[in-house]
Amino acid sequence: MQPSAQPGSRPNRATKAEPRPTLTCDPAGDAGAKEAQESKVLRCRYPTMGLVCPPRSARFWAVGGLPGNYKTQLLWNMALNMAECHLRTLFVSLELTPGEMALRALARFSGIPLNRIEKALTKHDRVALPGSYLAKFEKAKAKIENLLM
């Protein structure tokens, strides 16, 4: 029982006790609980992944697997989704150059196949994009310039 401020008076029961922090035996567990409370759940536009391992702010993801299973493409699309949601995004790849990543983003946002864009941009054997693709290409280019990446 708390001592009262004045002798002979009853303790004030109207004030609620502050909630006690959750403590575990492991200080790392305590730090993890605190980080989980402070972090923000992010939308990745992949509902199943959001249920299995929801992305949170201030987290680092490493994805492994055999070559050729589209890991980079999956995570690049997720990064673009998050950037579209106005979330600051950092994407690091040792596999793709920034130019290749930009071409993949152009293909995604324009709906034009990547190999078609590459053929239109090569120096040798260039095949121009038809007029219907040019408008989509320019619109996708403007969209990429406004992403927070």
Side-chain angles (χ1 to χ4, degrees):
M1 190 156 110
Q2 299 260 347
S4 59
Q6 296 177 355
S9 66
R10 299 177 116 196
N12 185 359
R13 295 191 188 271
T15 59
K16 293 183 180 178
E18 291 184 27
R20 291 181 13 190
T22 305
L23 297 176
T24 64
C25 297
D26 186 5
D30 293 338
K34 183 180 177 189
E35 289 171 8
Q37 289 172 349
E38 293 173 357
S39 69
K40 176 175 129 179
V41 176
L42 305 174
R43 289 185 10 199
C44 65
R45 295 187 183 170
Y46 290 100
T48 303
M49 187 174 290
L51 292 173
V52 175
C53 55
R56 301 181 81 73
S57 63
R59 288 279 171 95
F60 173 81
W61 283 17
V63 175
L66 295 173
N69 287 330
Y70 300 98
K71 298 173 296 294
T72 303
Q73 189 63 46
L74 170 73
L75 293 177
W76 179 230
N77 282 329
M78 184 186 295
L80 290 172
N81 286 345
M82 291 179 169
E84 277 187 290
C85 292
H86 306 290
L87 299 170
R88 285 185 5 203
T89 308
L90 171 67
F91 186 85
V92 178
S93 174
L94 300 177
E95 183 179 352
L96 300 174
T97 66
E100 290 172 319
M101 292 166 53
L103 285 179
R104 289 175 188 243
L106 279 169
R108 177 190 167 190
F109 290 130
S110 67
I112 304 170
L114 178 62
N115 63 352
R116 187 70 183 89
I117 292 174
E118 288 173 339
K119 285 180 184 177
L121 298 175
T122 58
K123 288 184 180 180
H124 307 289
D125 302 327
R126 181 179 293 188
V127 180
L129 290 173
S132 62
Y133 279 178
L134 288 176
K136 291 178 181 179
F137 187 82
E138 290 302 320
K139 189 175 178 183
K141 206 163 120 179
K143 187 171 192 171
I144 291 170
E145 290 173 357
N146 293 324
L147 293 178
L148 293 170
M149 297 196 83

